[in-house]
Amino acid sequence: MVFRLNGFHMVLHLRDKAEYRKLQLFLDVLAIDDVVMEQVVEDQNAAGRHNAAESSDQDVLLRLREDWVARDLHVAHDLAGAGLHLVHDDIGGSLGDGLHDLSGQGGVLVGDRDGHDLGRAHAVHRDAGQQLTVGHIQTQLLDDVVQDDVALDSNYFIGDDCFIQNVNVMYVEGRSSFGNNVEVSVLNETGGREVPIYNGLSASLAYLIALYRHRPALILRLQAMIADFAERQTGNYGFIGNHVKIINTGTVRNTVIADYATVENCTRLDNGTVNSNVNAPVYIGDSVIAEDFIISSGAVVADAAKIIRCFIGQACHVTHNFSAHDSLLFSNCAFENGEACAIFAGPFTVSMHKSSLLIAGMYSFLNAGSGSNQSNHMYKLGPIHQGIVERGSKTTSDSYILWPARVGAFSLVMGRHHHHSDTSDMPFSYLIEKDDETYLVPGVNLRSVGTIRDAQKWPKRDKRTDQQRLDMINYNLLSPYTIYKMMKAVGILKNLQELVGETSEVYYYQNTRIKGSSLRTALDLYGMAINKFLGNSLIKRLEGTDFCSMEEVWSQLKPTSSAGRGPAIFISKAFAK
């Protein structure tokens, strides 16, 4: 709470939060009935005490007339043990021994920067955050550090050029790691895949922690490293960085707000870190509620969004009443209106519509249509199920998937699907509901202009401006991962033809149905895509080399390193082999 007054600088030391109310009472004393200072001016003029050289320490003190405060002497009595002191900037030290004798003297003691009484002052009144006519009032606890005329009520270090106004309460309670090492029950609501969030969390690291539970030594080591980082962030003091603006905000508790962040009209920030910086400032807007959170650089959280136990990645936008809990939202995600529960949202996951629910799923480069829903609960053993919709997929309006299920990369989901299908080895496909059955059309999305458009738009929509990018993003449509999947798909489809016969009208695969015509078309489309990728790779490998015979060509194509051998692995938007 900041009061700016031209004449003096007064520090009111509050020993604990319970005495905050006493401060309010004290300010009420200062503001009684718009106290007019004309009489004070006359008294000072009559006494001729405008010469600083003739003033003693007591001359620095100006007393308001006793009758102005006599009716509020009970306030002075309450303040006697509050540890209130008046400090003059130029003289330094405490002017008197607090307000213990206020009831006897009947006055509020003030002085001005020039070392003489405030004879020129003409009025005193209270108006938080406004430019007033006398002095500067600043509040702090005894164990606070306050810099550059920025005031606050409890354990916070404040940076340069901050503007803090009309904040209900801002304090650190006990020791806090400010959102670091909070465990998020991602994918499985009942636990078992918890990811501890911290300031530097990336999608790839979170993927390992969530899905590599069959490597317990790895998981324990990663968890220990994050816990060690969190311990280094833990303390009894919070930090507000440089050039931070916090206005019209409710509660700020156990929260670190870094440089150049803006928090305005926010309802509550509780136990978190806002990792803003000059290159990628963070904006937190109207009616936002955030608890147990990390917000990364360049993010926007506004318009009554609610995030509970969430990691918000770089350049994410979470707005328009969107609510999320126990979720990881990584770079460039955009969420509005709907709801997310226990999701792993890799880069460029987008859900903009009302009545859309993303729950217990892993997504990336997803475009969720209006009314898209999933279920992780079959009303038997609780919400224990989960699913994966691989990169680049889309769900149409009113689509539905009953987990557990898995959808291959760059697929389109239409209708309602209850049969727990797994099409992860059939990328670029359509899943269509017909007569309550799931029909799979493999590879058909390869010839869609929308797929090509998506591959071109994502790099242009990368809004990250931070020089340190947390997520490694591969934008390629055809990559070792998708080509490996298509090669598997060709083998699976050919095997179905051999087992059932090439003339069959319908083939059954992983709780889906594939029409015979769709299977034959898929073999052609997958073949073309594989040949294109391998051809481009061959040209790239031979580019800039000299060769005159096939033997020299083969020599140029030999591996020069053992790295990259084996199947491709999908590590949440980054690729490895």
Side-chain angles (χ1 to χ4, degrees):
M1 182 171 54
V2 178
F3 296 83
R4 295 201 174 274
L5 306 161
N6 290 329
F8 68 96
H9 178 184
M10 182 161 61
V11 181
L12 306 180
H13 293 277
L14 301 181
R15 290 194 177 94
D16 55 49
K17 292 181 291 180
E19 292 170 348
Y20 183 84
R21 174 57 183 159
K22 295 180 180 180
L23 169 65
Q24 298 296 331
L25 293 174
F26 170 73
L27 295 176
D28 287 339
V29 174
L30 191 64
I32 291 173
D33 295 331
D34 293 328
V35 177
V36 179
M37 297 289 291
E38 282 84 354
Q39 183 63 47
V40 176
V41 175
E42 292 177 6
D43 292 344
Q44 294 302 300
N45 288 335
R49 291 186 296 174
H50 285 291
N51 188 340
E54 299 175 1
S55 298
S56 64
D57 285 351
Q58 290 301 318
D59 291 327
V60 176
L61 303 179
L62 176 77
R63 292 187 183 179
L64 298 179
R65 291 186 309 163
E66 182 174 347
D67 58 331
W68 289 116
V69 294
R71 55 179 145 172
D72 280 272
L73 292 181
H74 65 281
V75 176
H77 178 73
D78 289 339
L79 291 171
L84 298 177
H85 298 275
L86 305 180
V87 178
H88 193 285
D89 284 347
D90 294 325
I91 297 176
S94 175
L95 300 181
D97 297 323
L99 297 181
H100 291 74
D101 58 350
L102 179 59
S103 59
Q105 297 183 12
V108 177
L109 308 178
V110 296
D112 98 346
R113 295 178 185 274
D114 298 325
H116 58 71
D117 295 338
L118 300 176
R120 64 182 180 276
H122 60 82
V124 177
H125 63 92
R126 183 183 65 178
D127 190 0
Q130 301 298 320
Q131 192 70 24
L132 305 182
T133 57
V134 182
H136 173 92
I137 298 176
Q138 180 171 5
T139 67
Q140 68 173 96
L141 284 174
L142 288 174
D143 54 357
D144 280 350
V145 175
V146 179
Q147 302 172 348
D148 301 324
D149 289 345
V150 178
L152 57 157
D153 299 325
S154 60
N155 308 355
Y156 268 92
F157 291 91
I158 304 299
D160 298 338
D161 298 321
C162 294
F163 184 76
I164 303 173
Q165 181 186 64
N166 196 25
V167 178
N168 287 352
V169 60
M170 182 160 60
Y171 64 100
V172 174
E173 186 173 25
R175 287 176 58 81
S176 175
S177 58
F178 307 101
N180 288 281
N181 207 32
V182 169
E183 290 193 342
V184 174
S185 298
V186 69
L187 294 179
N188 191 328
E189 281 191 84
T190 60
R193 298 192 182 276
E194 294 86 354
V195 175
I197 61 176
Y198 75 105
N199 292 341
L201 186 65
S202 67
S204 301
L205 178 58
Y207 180 93
L208 293 176
I209 296 174
L211 295 186
Y212 273 60
R213 294 294 169 144
H214 55 288
R215 301 285 296 275
L218 170 65
I219 301 303
L220 289 174
R221 180 59 181 147
L222 292 175
Q223 290 173 338
M225 292 171 66
I226 294 174
D228 181 66
F229 174 87
E231 181 60 28
R232 295 197 300 272
Q233 313 304 311
T234 301
N236 296 317
Y237 292 88
F239 297 87
I240 305 297
N242 301 326
H243 306 281
V244 172
K245 178 181 178 182
I246 307 174
I247 61 173
N248 301 330
T249 293
T251 299
V252 179
R253 173 185 173 274
N254 292 7
T255 299
V256 167
I257 303 177
D259 298 350
Y260 290 89
T262 297
V263 181
E264 57 184 10
N265 306 320
C266 174
T267 298
R268 183 168 70 252
L269 299 178
D270 190 351
N271 191 36
T273 298
V274 179
N275 289 309
S276 179
N277 61 59
V278 62
N279 296 315
V282 171
Y283 177 80
I284 300 176
D286 294 356
S287 304
V288 167
I289 296 176
E291 299 177 6
D292 300 324
F293 65 93
I294 299 289
I295 297 178
S296 301
S297 59
V300 174
V301 183
D303 304 328
K306 297 176 179 61
I307 55 173
I308 313 296
R309 294 182 301 280
C310 287
F311 178 89
I312 308 299
Q314 293 176 317
C316 280
H317 282 232
V318 183
T319 58
H320 293 108
N321 290 288
F322 190 85
S323 64
H325 72 83
D326 291 286
S327 296
L328 308 176
L329 318 179
F330 292 101
S331 300
N332 295 295
C333 287
F335 291 95
E336 297 182 9
N337 298 303
E339 181 182 358
C341 171
I343 70 168
F344 188 119
F348 292 96
T349 300
V350 176
S351 176
M352 307 291 286
H353 306 286
K354 292 182 178 179
S355 69
S356 292
L357 168 65
L358 302 181
I359 185 169
M362 176 175 286
Y363 320 88
S364 64
F365 296 89
L366 172 79
N367 191 338
S370 61
S372 295
N373 282 261
Q374 302 91 45
S375 293
N376 63 336
H377 198 312
M378 291 193 291
Y379 306 101
K380 296 177 181 179
L381 298 175
I384 63 174
H385 303 290
Q386 62 201 49
I388 297 177
V389 179
E390 295 190 8
R391 62 182 279 132
S393 296
K394 297 181 180 181
T395 60
T396 65
S397 297
D398 298 318
S399 65
Y400 171 81
I401 305 174
L402 178 62
W403 300 141
R406 188 163 181 174
V407 178
F410 297 98
S411 294
L412 177 69
V413 180
M414 303 174 64
R416 306 178 67 82
H417 304 273
H418 306 84
H419 302 292
H420 312 297
S421 58
D422 181 356
T423 64
S424 56
D425 289 332
M426 298 285 175
F428 300 96
S429 299
Y430 283 4
L431 277 80
I432 302 173
E433 175 203 4
K434 181 180 179 182
D435 298 329
D436 201 34
E437 295 291 340
T438 297
Y439 279 79
L440 176 65
V441 187
V444 69
N445 218 13
L446 280 167
R447 64 186 183 190
S448 170
V449 66
T451 304
I452 305 301
R453 174 179 173 271
D454 289 342
Q456 294 174 344
K457 76 182 182 184
W458 285 320
K460 298 176 182 178
R461 294 184 180 182
D462 192 338
K463 303 301 181 183
R464 292 176 295 174
T465 55
D466 198 330
Q467 296 178 353
Q468 181 180 359
R469 297 186 172 185
L470 298 178
D471 293 330
M472 298 178 294
I473 302 177
N474 188 316
Y475 295 103
N476 293 333
L477 186 69
L478 299 180
S479 65
Y481 177 77
T482 54
I483 294 300
Y484 172 72
K485 289 290 188 178
M486 283 190 275
M487 293 173 70
K488 288 186 68 176
V490 169
I492 291 169
L493 296 176
K494 288 184 175 180
N495 187 51
L496 287 175
Q497 279 186 324
E498 293 177 1
L499 291 175
V500 182
E502 295 186 6
T503 59
S504 176
E505 294 185 359
V506 178
Y507 299 86
Y508 294 89
Y509 171 73
Q510 295 287 356
N511 296 325
T512 68
R513 299 185 181 193
I514 305 174
K515 291 184 177 180
S517 57
S518 299
L519 186 149
R520 290 185 289 273
T521 301
L523 288 174
D524 293 337
L525 293 173
Y526 283 145
M528 286 190 293
I530 293 169
N531 290 337
K532 181 181 187 305
F533 177 81
L534 294 179
N536 288 344
S537 300
L538 179 65
I539 293 171
K540 189 68 176 179
R541 180 76 176 184
L542 296 176
E543 194 175 62
T545 64
D546 296 325
F547 51 89
C548 299
S549 64
M550 284 304 300
E551 287 75 13
E552 293 179 353
V553 171
W554 286 114
S555 176
Q556 294 289 345
L557 296 179
K558 289 182 179 180
T560 58
S561 171
S562 60
R565 296 185 178 182
I569 301 173
F570 181 58
I571 309 181
S572 189
K573 291 35 85 184
F575 297 109
K577 290 195 295 179

